[in-house]
Amino acid sequence: SYTYADGYSAGVGVGNSVGSVGLSYSEKDGFGASASVNIGDNVNLGVNTSERGRTGVSLGFQQKGAADASGYRPAQGFGASIGYSVDKDGKNGSANAAITYTDQEDKNPGFSNTGGVTWDSRNGYGVTASRSGVAGTNNFNGNVAWSERGGFTSNFEMSRNQSLYDKEKARKEAERRAEQQSANNNEGRN
């Protein structure tokens, strides 16, 4: 991605029901890393740091909905988070907090909408809205936000869901083999 204030940036991460890890790079902050762990079904604890930027910790809570056929429980209902970060020299601490509400769409399973209010000691009070979901074998997340000192921001992320991609690839291969077997069986009868 690119912003005028921060320059170019990119990141990659992996995660599962236990937690997640990620690596990033930005022109402004250099290389960075993040990790989080899920504590139980509703609580998440995270840490992050960057080469020239900030180091921080976060704690979040999110209500969950009913489990789907695979056992996955999507976010549904109220969530809250708090965080704190400091500059590399241990100065200029910054605190943040958010209260959100997430609603899963009945008409489009796998899609959710989230809205909330935020507070950050640097940017003041704000509001945020996002939409996320799965389209084919891709995950996506779009977000717009406004804060009193930070102004408007927007973000869009899209990534391949490797698990769904592998399942779709295996399904297509099984169909191809079944068609080949059927064709071979029909040849043998003629």
Side-chain angles (χ1 to χ4, degrees):
S1 66
Y2 177 81
T3 65
Y4 182 77
D6 298 333
Y8 289 99
S9 64
V12 62
V14 295
N16 59 25
S17 62
V18 176
S20 65
V21 294
L23 297 173
S24 62
Y25 175 80
S26 75
E27 286 184 306
K28 179 182 177 185
D29 295 329
F31 289 98
S34 62
S36 69
V37 63
N38 297 326
I39 303 167
D41 202 27
N42 301 79
V43 178
N44 179 277
L45 178 63
V47 296
N48 61 69
T49 189
S50 64
E51 189 176 16
R52 296 185 299 267
R54 303 178 70 76
T55 297
V57 296
S58 63
L59 177 65
F61 167 81
Q62 176 65 58
Q63 289 180 314
K64 301 284 182 140
D68 63 14
S70 70
Y72 172 71
R73 292 183 62 211
Q76 175 68 43
F78 286 98
S81 64
I82 56 172
Y84 186 78
S85 64
V86 294
D87 288 340
K88 279 298 181 193
D89 60 6
K91 298 179 182 176
N92 300 318
S94 174
N96 62 71
I99 297 174
T100 59
Y101 185 82
T102 300
D103 185 38
Q104 298 296 319
E105 292 187 9
D106 293 333
K107 294 180 182 178
N108 297 309
F111 286 78
S112 65
N113 300 299
T114 301
V117 295
T118 61
W119 175 82
D120 181 294
S121 59
R122 289 178 172 208
N123 294 320
Y125 292 97
V127 293
T128 183
S130 65
R131 178 172 169 83
S132 60
V134 178
T137 59
N138 295 310
N139 296 328
F140 74 90
N141 182 38
N143 177 273
V144 293
W146 175 86
S147 65
E148 59 185 332
R149 289 188 293 276
F152 281 98
T153 60
S154 66
N155 184 43
F156 180 78
E157 299 171 0
M158 188 168 175
S159 62
R160 182 168 73 178
N161 185 316
Q162 191 65 43
S163 175
L164 289 176
Y165 177 80
D166 291 343
K167 287 177 185 177
E168 182 66 13
K169 186 176 174 182
R171 185 189 64 77
K172 287 181 179 180
E173 178 63 19
E175 284 178 359
R176 186 192 66 76
R177 288 183 185 190
E179 289 173 6
Q180 183 67 40
Q181 183 66 36
S182 177
N184 290 344
N185 289 344
N186 288 337
E187 267 183 31
R189 288 185 219 158
N190 294 332

